[in-house]
Amino acid sequence: MSPATALVHETADALRDTLRAHGLDVPGLSVEQDRISLGDITVTTADRLARLLGAPETQVERNLEEWPEARQVMRRLGAAFRVVTGGGFLDLYFHPDCVRCDRDAVVAAGPINAPEARRLVSRLARH
């Protein structure tokens, strides 16, 4: 394993530990081609992460797992991520719950680079 790859894995471990310390369950966090993927997270986890990163709380009128609320959560998380990382982009996609395939609603988060992940760890460590 190259030193750069080892650093990405160390950063992923630090991010995983920091998220766990805040009670956030991110079971799909992994390293893929020297980038860190958060994987699928619940809408509630995405909302809590957005707030931890500095997004304002919003008044929820319905279930967070409904389209309008989930989209609002993703907008807030994406904006907070940009601020914390100095302009980074977090690709987010909402998968609604599916009775047919017996799956809960999730937000799929695309991969981020190690410097962005380190900025997240730094921000979350301050809370």
Side-chain angles (χ1 to χ4, degrees):
M1 180 180 308
S2 74
T5 300
L7 181 59
V8 172
H9 283 273
E10 289 173 19
T11 302
D13 290 342
L15 181 57
R16 183 179 297 107
D17 292 345
T18 303
L19 291 169
R20 279 189 193 141
H22 285 287
L24 298 176
D25 185 29
V26 185
L29 194 145
S30 62
V31 174
E32 301 169 4
Q33 300 176 349
D34 287 341
R35 292 177 55 91
I36 299 167
S37 175
L38 296 176
D40 292 346
I41 57 176
T42 67
V43 181
T44 302
T45 297
D47 181 60
R48 183 132 187 269
L49 179 57
R51 284 185 278 133
L52 287 168
L53 295 178
E57 287 194 47
T58 60
Q59 202 64 10
V60 176
E61 296 179 17
R62 296 184 280 186
N63 183 334
L64 271 182
E65 295 182 355
E66 293 187 30
W67 275 100
E69 283 72 19
R71 287 180 50 143
Q72 184 177 22
V73 167
M74 290 188 310
R75 279 193 300 271
R76 291 174 47 247
L77 178 55
F81 182 85
R82 272 189 301 281
V83 169
V84 168
T85 61
F89 175 74
L90 181 60
D91 190 20
L92 299 167
Y93 185 81
F94 177 59
H95 296 279
D97 65 334
C98 180
V99 175
R100 184 175 173 191
C101 48
D102 193 30
R103 294 194 165 218
D104 294 331
V106 296
V107 173
I112 60 176
N113 62 39
E116 291 169 339
R118 284 191 291 277
R119 289 184 193 108
L120 287 180
V121 170
S122 177
R123 171 63 184 223
L124 292 169
R126 288 187 251 150
H127 285 283

